[in-house]
């Protein structure tokens, strides 16, 4: 079959690549055309556009880049029409993907959504678009199945694909990792400031403001594949290091982590690293988001899935040097650290076992 896949962010690239791998096992002659990133490109097929040209964060940035976004939508529609795929697979990225779903459905192309937009948090009305234009909805968080059922939409809980990615990792030698990446022998505090330039610039300065209180540790920045190495050079010194495209290996060698909200909060937890979740947006974007997001107590996937505070979230004005130092100290040693690690075990149980990509591939092939 001819598959057309759209993933607009780094996490979508990871999940899209694993899905492609599973589809190839079940459909050896599969042809892929996709919007994604380097990981999807490794699986073969034609990369139409890279996600680094698509990712705009916050209401202001979207408004400033509206012409580019609209041009991308127009180009995508033309590309789908010209290539006539058998099936369109949408991975999260709702502002873009829901427009494309409507267009593809009207062309008579089957539409599958893998990894639901977070409609339970905001823009719940978009469920009606999914009802009309999506043939199969696959969800990766256990509470999402109930959400869709409430709206009269049948969905498949396939498990979380991050478990596949993490369970397949080879054992790591911490000393060898440090040596290979020019790190010293101190224990590591990992910094995951995000994947977009605007976001990283904002978060790294705050995360690094705690250095003087943790001189016995070294800080290591997880570089995003979408940003060049020289972008990070101004942040690096004798006790602040940088590794690129090795986030999972870095986390597995770390004692704790400071993580910008997003998929990375869940990845960090599934790799058993106690974390503090950090988020600060522009005042205008945050004010708008606060009005739009309803009935949501947390911003991290870890806490949302567990429906209680497992990891500390420092948001907007609460994200300051004093609070960061206090919360980081709690998870480096003592009872709080033990509690977080115990809760991570329960988190994995809630997410089900491995095999999400294979389950999703089965649903797609039935369509």
């Amino acid at each position: 079959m001819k598959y057309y896949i759209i993933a607009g962010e780094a996490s979508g690239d990871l999940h899209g690549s694993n899905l492609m791998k599973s589809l190839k096992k079940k459909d050896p002659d599969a042809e892929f055309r996709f919007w994604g990133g380097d990981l999807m490109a490794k699986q073969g097929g034609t990369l139409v556009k890279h996600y680094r040209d698509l990712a705009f964060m916050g209401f202001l940035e979207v408004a400033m880049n509206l012409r580019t976004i609209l041009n991308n939508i127009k180009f995508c529609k033309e590309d789908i029409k010209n290539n006539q795929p058998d099936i369109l697979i949408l991975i999260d990225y709702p502002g873009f993907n829901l427009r494309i779903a409507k267009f593809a459905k009207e062309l008579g192309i089957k539409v599958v959504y893998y990894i639901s937009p977070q409609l339970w948090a905001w823009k719940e009305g978009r469920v009606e678009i999914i009802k009309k234009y999506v043939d199969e909805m696959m969800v990766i968080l256990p509470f999402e199945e109930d959400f869709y059922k409430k709206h009269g939409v049948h969905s498949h809980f396939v498990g979380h694909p991050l478990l596949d990615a993490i369970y397949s990792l080879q054992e790591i030698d911490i000393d060898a990792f440090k040596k290979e990446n020019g790190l010293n022998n101190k224990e590591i505090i990992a910094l995951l400031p995000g994947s977009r330039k605007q976001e990283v610039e904002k978060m790294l300065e705050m995360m690094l403001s705690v250095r003087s209180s943790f001189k016995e540790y070294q800080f290591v920045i997880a570089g995003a594949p979408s940003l060049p190495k020289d972008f990070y050079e101004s942040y690096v010194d004798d006790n602040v290091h940088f590794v690129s495209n090795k986030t999972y290996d870095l986390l597995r060698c770390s004692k704790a982590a400071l993580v910008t909200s997003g998929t990375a909060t869940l990845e960090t937890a599934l790799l058993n690293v106690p974390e503090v979740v950090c988020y600060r947006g522009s005042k205008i974007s945050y004010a708008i988001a606060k009005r739009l997001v309803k009935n949501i107590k947390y911003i991290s996937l870890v806490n949302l899935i567990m429906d209680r505070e497992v990891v500390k979230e420092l948001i907007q004005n609460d994200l300051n040097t004093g609070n960061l130092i206090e919360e980081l100290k709690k998870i480096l040693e003592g009872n709080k650290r033990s509690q977080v690690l115990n809760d991570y075990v329960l988190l994995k149980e809630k997410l089900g076992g491995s095999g999400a990509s294979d389950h999703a591939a089965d649903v797609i092939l039935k369509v």
Side-chain angles (χ1 to χ4, degrees):
M1 292 209 308
K2 289 167 68 178
Y3 302 88
Y4 199 105
I5 308 174
I6 304 175
E9 297 176 305
S11 59
D13 180 37
L14 171 66
H15 302 325
S17 68
N18 285 325
L19 178 62
M20 289 165 75
K21 203 182 294 180
S22 290
L23 284 168
K24 285 195 295 185
K25 281 191 291 186
K26 298 167 189 292
D27 180 7
D29 298 322
E31 292 179 29
F32 297 109
R33 191 170 179 87
F34 56 91
W35 296 46
D38 300 340
L39 296 174
M40 291 173 75
K42 283 179 184 173
Q43 294 302 318
T46 302
L47 174 60
V48 181
K49 272 191 184 279
H50 200 288
Y51 68 77
R52 64 172 158 254
D53 301 322
L54 308 172
F56 300 105
M57 186 187 92
F59 298 99
L60 287 179
E61 196 185 354
V62 167
M64 288 165 60
N65 291 280
L66 194 56
R67 180 176 290 181
T68 302
I69 294 166
L70 292 173
N71 284 339
N72 282 335
I73 290 169
K74 182 183 177 186
F75 174 77
C76 184
K77 288 178 177 179
E78 288 171 358
D79 196 54
I80 289 171
K81 192 173 183 179
N82 291 337
N83 286 278
Q84 288 294 311
D86 296 304
I87 193 161
L88 172 67
I89 302 169
L90 306 172
I91 301 179
D92 200 1
Y93 198 47
F96 189 96
N97 275 340
L98 287 174
R99 292 183 183 217
I100 303 301
K102 181 178 186 293
F103 174 79
K105 188 68 178 170
E106 288 170 351
L107 283 182
I109 296 167
K110 292 286 186 183
V111 179
V112 171
Y113 219 119
Y114 177 47
I115 303 179
S116 167
Q118 295 178 351
L119 304 185
W120 34 267
W122 70 314
K123 296 197 174 179
E124 196 169 324
R126 284 176 164 174
V127 172
E128 295 306 312
I129 301 173
I130 286 168
K131 218 183 244 187
K132 273 187 187 177
Y133 303 116
V134 173
D135 294 290
E136 292 288 348
M137 169 59 73
M138 292 177 286
V139 299
I140 62 171
L141 300 173
F143 59 80
E144 289 177 325
E145 209 169 18
D146 289 336
F147 169 81
Y148 278 107
K149 189 176 181 181
K150 184 180 80 176
H151 288 280
V153 176
H154 176 68
S155 65
H156 303 264
F157 173 58
V158 295
H160 205 293
L162 278 180
L163 289 169
D164 291 351
I166 284 163
Y167 288 162
S168 65
L169 293 172
Q170 301 292 317
E171 197 172 332
I172 193 163
D173 182 324
I174 295 176
D175 292 332
F177 177 81
K178 287 179 177 177
K179 191 175 180 182
E180 285 164 15
N181 293 282
L183 308 180
N184 59 45
N185 291 323
K186 292 179 181 178
E187 288 192 293
I188 296 169
I189 295 173
L191 306 180
L192 279 66
S195 60
R196 303 177 183 97
K197 185 180 177 185
Q198 173 199 17
E199 181 179 50
V200 174
E201 286 173 335
K202 193 175 290 181
M203 299 309 303
L204 262 184
E205 189 177 343
M206 175 53 66
M207 289 175 171
L208 288 171
S209 71
V210 307
R211 279 180 297 171
S212 59
S213 297
F214 299 94
K215 290 178 181 175
E216 67 275 32
Y217 293 91
Q218 61 183 317
F219 291 81
V220 184
I221 302 165
S226 55
L227 295 173
K229 187 177 179 180
D230 58 12
F231 170 78
Y232 295 94
E233 283 175 359
S234 62
Y235 300 101
V236 173
D237 60 29
D238 290 343
N239 208 40
V240 178
H241 307 276
F242 159 81
V243 298
S244 186
N245 295 326
K246 297 177 183 175
T247 301
Y248 283 6
D249 287 350
L250 169 61
L251 284 169
R252 291 191 292 158
C253 296
S254 299
K255 183 81 181 282
L258 303 180
V259 186
T260 298
S261 67
T263 306
T265 62
L266 184 57
E267 291 172 312
T268 303
L270 295 178
L271 288 165
N272 294 319
V273 184
E275 64 185 302
V276 180
V277 176
C278 310
Y279 177 78
R280 182 184 285 167
S282 74
K283 287 182 180 178
I284 295 172
S285 289
Y286 184 70
I288 295 170
K290 211 170 177 186
R291 285 177 176 272
L292 293 175
V293 174
K294 51 186 179 179
N295 303 322
I296 299 296
K297 293 181 282 186
Y298 307 107
I299 64 166
S300 72
L301 283 170
V302 178
N303 293 344
L304 282 165
I305 294 163
M306 295 294 284
D307 197 26
R308 60 185 171 86
E309 186 183 270
V310 171
V311 296
K312 185 65 179 180
E313 299 178 355
L314 296 177
I315 306 168
Q316 289 301 96
N317 294 335
D318 287 338
L319 179 58
N320 57 58
T321 305
N323 286 343
L324 263 182
I325 291 169
E326 183 184 343
E327 296 302 329
L328 189 50
K329 282 179 177 176
K330 287 179 186 176
I331 60 170
L332 285 167
E333 305 290 345
N335 292 338
K336 173 68 174 176
R337 179 180 179 83
S338 301
Q339 182 61 57
V340 169
L341 291 171
N342 288 337
D343 283 337
Y344 284 173
V345 175
L346 301 175
L347 172 72
K348 288 174 190 172
E349 288 174 6
K350 271 204 165 192
L351 287 173
S354 59
S357 303
D358 285 340
H359 296 154
D362 286 336
V363 173
I364 290 165
L365 289 169
K366 279 178 188 171
V367 172

